[in-house]
């Protein structure tokens, strides 16, 4: 039986997140995102953007409220089930979280190894992902030898390599110059055009590209 | 199934790559584990060999009855009769004093050398085999017989065998205790080594967990590393043990020849060898399992 909520990829219902120490990063946040949407989460530093993304990807658990992923309440899942929930997402972290002890190729291969894909099939997919972000010629390089923008694109390649249905990007254009930032945004737009749901956190009040905006102010959603 | 096999092959490859990258550290680790394991297994080997040597000695307790000097022939006959009818006695042997004397001289190579004593100081003797081999029953029989007037002295010959067996039993217990203690120490040592390895790979573990790795996936390479540590340690222990055995046998050979026996320590059998190496590998597995589980548990706690 299909209900109206089923076509929503992500649905937050009165979600509150209080971190240990008592700080409320999100207060009774409710919204829904449809499949194939492109959404920007905006707000000042400390507004709760990262927290929102982490809750969506089941990295943090809500203090109260429910979060539905494809109609499933992920707050109710056993801890052992969470890794499989996370594999629905391609995650681009605010601090990249690249592994500096291995080269570009191996960084991108990590999500595939986790999903049990290796060998020739993995090689093919890794190169396809690197090609999309324009890093194919650097596959043997170590991340430390990449520029800031290249590291950002490496992080994107790692997020898309397992072909997730949803991309979560936390300030992917953080400290890049305007031209570079526009290129990256174009990249996300191209993923969105092939049907990927894209959610991007950005500090800009009004991102230059079109798309729905969820604006956070001190943990509360402004309509 | 294929996927499962594949994942394991991958984890094993990673582990072997690390082994190749830091061979000295692994060798050292194997040396430590090997040295620790060689202690209880060495003791086991020793006890086992002594048991084998003791096994050649008759365990059946016997009592030697030395009769009062110059007991008349008729008294000896009635005594023999009495002994044969005794319910606690299985069998008896009469050893006349002349025969005992001859045997003694022969054994010491003194026959006809002029070193003979003028008179035979030995009494006649019976060797009594008890029905019941229970040490208490035999001991009671000895007490009873020693009170007979014709008997000067009743000697329980099996006393030293009994003592040896008690000692061996103690040795066996010691092996178990030692193995338990050192096993625990190894668990801690291996767990700690794995913990250090985990710390150097903190970032990888964190990122993997964030992007959907199961605990099992994260644990796998460390389990392989721990098991490999244990395995190498077990092999090392076996090598240490047999090197020591070789040296011992070389030096004991002359000594044994001197005493006219061919006593030498036998090597660890096939089955105990496998048990040693298997236990070492299992210790490695368990130690690393606890180390990673503890780390993951702390990671998951908010
Ligand atoms: N793990 C944590 N423990 C305690 N407080 C936290 C934690 N993570 C975030 N916070 C707090 O929650 C609030 C929201 O943090 P969040 O990281 O979501 O903000 P943000 O909008 O992503 O900010 P920025 O733009 O600087 O990245 C902040 O006040 C922050 O201090
Ligand atoms: Mg943030």
């Amino acid at each position: 039986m299909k209900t109206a909520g089923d076509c929503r990829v992500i649905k937050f219902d009165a979600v509150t997140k209080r971190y240990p120490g008592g700080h409320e990063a999100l207060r009774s946040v409710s919204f829904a995102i449809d499949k194939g949407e492109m959404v920007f989460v905006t707000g000042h530093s400390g507004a709760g953007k990262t927290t929102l993304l982490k809750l969506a990807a089941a990295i943090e658990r809500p203090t109260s409220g429910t979060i539905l992923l494809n109609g499933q309440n992920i707050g109710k899942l056993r801890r052992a089930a969470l890794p499989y929930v996370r594999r629905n997402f391609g995650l681009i972290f605010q601090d990249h979280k690249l592994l500096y002890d291995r080269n570009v190729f191996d960084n991108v291969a990590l999500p595939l190894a986790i999903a049990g894909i290796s060998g020739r099939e993995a090689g093919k997919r890794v190169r396809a992902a690197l090609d999309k972000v324009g890093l194919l010629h650097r596959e043997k390089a170590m991340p430390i030898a990449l520029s800031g923008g290249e590291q950002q694109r490496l992080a994107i390649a790692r997020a898309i390599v397992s072909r997730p249905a949803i991309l979560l990007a936390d300030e992917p254009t953080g400290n890049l110059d305007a031209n570079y930032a526009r290129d990256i945004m174009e990249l996300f737009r191209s993923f969105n055009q092939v049907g990927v749901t894209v959610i991007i956190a950005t500090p800009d009040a009004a991102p230059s590209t079109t798309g729905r905006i969820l604006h956070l102010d001190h943990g509360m959603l402004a309509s | 199934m294929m996927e499962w096999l594949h994942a394991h092959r991958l984890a094993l490859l990673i582990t072997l790559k690390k082994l190749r990258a830091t061979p000295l550290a692994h060798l050292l680790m194997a040396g430590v584990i090997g040295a620790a394991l060689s202690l209880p297994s060495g003791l086991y080997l020793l006890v086992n060999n002594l048991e084998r040597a003791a096994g050649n000695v008759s365990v059946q307790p016997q009592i030697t009855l030395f009769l009062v000097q110059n007991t008349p022939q008729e008294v000896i006959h009635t005594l023999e009769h009495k002994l044969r009818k005794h319910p606690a006695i299985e069998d008896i042997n009469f050893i006349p004093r002349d025969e005992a004397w001859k045997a003694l001289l022969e054994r010491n190579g003194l026959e006809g050398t002029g070193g003979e004593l003028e008179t035979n100081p030995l009494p006649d003797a019976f060797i009594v085999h008890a029905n019941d081999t229970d040490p208490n029953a035999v001991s009671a029989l000895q007490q009873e017989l020693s009170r007979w007037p014709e008997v000067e002295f009743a000697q329980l010959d099996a006393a030293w065998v009994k003592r040896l067996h008690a000692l061996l039993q103690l040795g066996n217990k010691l092996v178990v205790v030692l193995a338990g203690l050192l096993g625990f120490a190894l668990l801690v040592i291996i767990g700690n080594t794995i913990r250090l390895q985990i710390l150097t790979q903190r970032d990888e573990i964190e990122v993997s967990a964030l992007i959907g790795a199961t605990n099992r996936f994260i644990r796998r390479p460390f389990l392989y590393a721990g098991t490999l540590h244990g395995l190498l340690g077990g092999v090392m222990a076996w090598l240490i043990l047999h090197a020591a055995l070789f040296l011992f046998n070389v030096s004991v050979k002359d000594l044994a020849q001197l005493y006219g026996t061919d006593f030498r320590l036998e090597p660890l059998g096939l089955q105990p060898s496998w048990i040693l190496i298997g236990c070492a590998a299992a210790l490695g597995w368990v130690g690393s399992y606890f180390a990673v589980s503890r780390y993951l548990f702390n990671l998951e706690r908010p």
Side-chain angles (χ1 to χ4, degrees):
Chain A
M1 203 176 74
K2 280 221 161 211
T3 64
D6 274 355
C7 61
R8 310 296 204 181
V9 175
I10 295 170
K11 189 162 186 284
F12 274 50
D13 198 8
V15 172
T16 294
K17 175 65 185 181
R18 194 179 303 118
Y19 279 113
H23 183 83
E24 275 194 355
L26 288 182
R27 285 180 217 174
S28 194
V29 169
S30 302
F31 65 88
I33 293 173
D34 282 340
K35 194 174 183 311
E37 250 194 300
M38 176 125 171
V39 175
F40 292 92
V41 179
T42 63
H44 59 90
S45 178
K49 304 182 293 292
T50 300
T51 303
L52 190 146
L53 297 188
K54 280 183 177 167
L55 285 166
I59 290 170
E60 293 281 358
R61 293 193 161 218
T63 311
S64 66
T66 53
I67 299 169
L68 301 182
L69 177 70
N70 296 315
Q72 189 178 34
N73 185 350
I74 57 176
K76 283 242 159 59
L77 291 175
R78 287 178 307 117
R79 177 162 269 156
L82 296 183
Y84 301 97
V85 171
R86 289 178 196 153
R87 289 184 203 174
N88 288 300
F89 298 92
L91 296 170
I92 296 150
F93 301 97
Q94 194 163 2
D95 55 353
H96 303 348
K97 294 201 192 298
L98 298 175
L99 296 177
Y100 292 95
D101 63 346
R102 64 198 69 190
N103 65 23
V104 165
F105 183 98
D106 290 338
N107 263 279
V108 179
L110 181 65
L112 296 178
I114 287 170
I117 301 164
S118 61
R120 197 149 354 122
E121 170 69 9
K124 231 169 59 190
R125 289 210 204 172
V126 169
R127 293 203 176 87
L130 284 175
D131 192 27
K132 279 219 185 71
V133 301
L135 278 182
L136 192 50
H137 60 294
R138 304 299 306 270
E139 69 171 71
K140 290 268 186 306
M142 297 304 272
I144 203 72
L146 300 180
S147 73
E150 285 171 330
Q151 289 190 20
Q152 186 63 267
R153 285 187 283 159
L154 172 55
I156 295 173
R158 188 180 65 189
I160 61 168
V161 73
S162 47
R163 298 176 191 151
I166 312 163
L167 263 183
L168 299 182
D170 198 350
E171 305 197 17
T173 58
N175 33 31
L176 303 178
D177 69 59
N179 283 333
Y180 218 113
R182 205 174 314 116
D183 286 352
I184 299 270
M185 276 307 168
E186 270 320 302
L187 198 57
F188 282 115
R189 191 156 294 287
S190 72
F191 298 139
N192 182 235
Q193 266 154 13
V194 295
V196 179
T197 307
V198 179
I199 303 170
I200 301 172
T202 159
D204 312 332
S208 51
T209 40
T210 51
R212 188 147 71 98
I213 292 174
L214 295 173
H215 186 68
L216 284 172
D217 188 6
H218 293 98
M220 284 189 291
L221 205 57
S223 40
Chain B
M1 182 64 192
M2 274 312 286
E3 208 173 273
W4 182 86
L5 270 182
H6 198 86
H8 277 273
R9 204 180 63 106
L10 214 67
L12 188 62
L13 280 180
I14 292 172
T15 310
L16 289 178
K17 216 162 97 184
K18 274 182 203 138
L19 173 68
R20 249 208 333 248
T22 54
L24 196 69
H26 277 83
L27 205 68
L28 228 63
M29 188 69 200
V32 169
I33 299 172
L37 281 176
S38 65
L39 288 177
S41 39
L43 187 62
Y44 168 81
L45 198 78
L46 211 63
V47 169
N48 211 33
N49 271 285
L50 285 177
E51 262 173 355
R52 196 175 44 82
N56 294 337
V57 181
S58 154
V59 199
Q60 217 205 353
Q62 57 184 36
I63 301 166
T64 310
L65 299 181
F66 297 103
L67 304 186
V68 176
Q69 281 285 4
N70 303 321
T71 306
Q73 205 62 30
E74 317 87 65
V75 179
I76 291 175
H77 272 302
T78 41
L79 187 62
E80 185 176 357
H81 223 68
K82 226 161 91 185
L83 284 171
R84 286 213 190 280
K85 276 206 302 232
H86 196 287
I89 292 172
E90 162 119 358
D91 192 21
I92 56 168
N93 266 344
F94 180 66
I95 302 190
R97 53 193 298 252
D98 296 337
E99 216 168 275
W101 182 236
K102 236 172 84 191
L104 183 71
L105 292 180
E106 246 170 49
R107 189 145 35 133
N108 291 323
L110 295 174
E111 200 183 16
T113 56
E116 298 165 49
L117 288 175
E118 299 289 306
T119 50
N120 178 0
L122 294 177
D124 289 315
F126 279 105
I127 292 180
V128 174
H129 297 274
N131 255 336
D132 192 346
T133 54
D134 176 60
N136 291 328
V138 178
S139 178
L141 182 63
Q142 177 223 0
Q143 302 253 313
E144 185 197 334
L145 296 180
S146 70
R147 279 195 297 269
W148 290 8
E150 305 88 341
V151 174
E152 172 84 42
F153 181 60
Q155 186 189 326
L156 189 55
D157 288 342
W160 72 273
V161 176
K162 232 169 74 185
R163 258 178 241 133
L164 178 65
H165 276 265
L167 219 63
L168 288 176
Q169 231 164 34
L170 192 73
N172 270 327
K173 276 185 194 138
L174 208 63
V175 169
V176 172
V177 169
L178 208 59
L181 284 178
L182 286 166
F184 178 73
L186 285 185
L187 221 60
V188 174
I189 292 174
I190 294 175
N192 213 41
T193 310
I194 295 297
R195 198 177 58 87
L196 292 180
Q197 271 178 30
I198 290 170
L199 290 184
T200 66
Q201 279 158 260
R202 252 197 314 236
D203 292 343
E204 180 181 359
I205 292 175
E206 189 208 340
V207 173
S208 300
L210 284 177
I211 64 179
T214 55
N215 283 353
R216 197 197 305 226
F217 177 87
I218 293 170
R219 212 180 270 134
R220 202 176 288 136
F222 295 109
L223 291 185
Y224 269 105
T227 310
L228 194 71
H229 279 314
L231 201 70
L232 291 179
V235 171
M236 195 63 111
W238 196 92
L239 290 175
I240 291 173
L241 202 61
H242 285 83
L245 193 82
F246 178 75
L247 291 178
F248 177 86
N249 277 341
V250 165
S251 54
V252 89
K253 210 171 101 188
D254 300 334
L255 202 66
Q257 264 170 3
L258 217 59
Y259 280 87
T261 77
D262 59 347
F263 181 78
R264 56 193 291 277
L265 289 180
E266 292 294 326
L268 215 54
L270 197 63
Q271 201 185 4
S273 295
W274 282 121
I275 289 176
L276 167 66
I277 293 172
C279 280
L283 277 177
W285 192 92
V286 173
S288 51
Y289 188 92
F290 277 124
V292 194
S293 293
R294 220 184 84 201
Y295 183 81
L296 288 175
F297 182 74
N298 289 336
L299 195 73
E300 274 171 8
R301 265 218 302 235

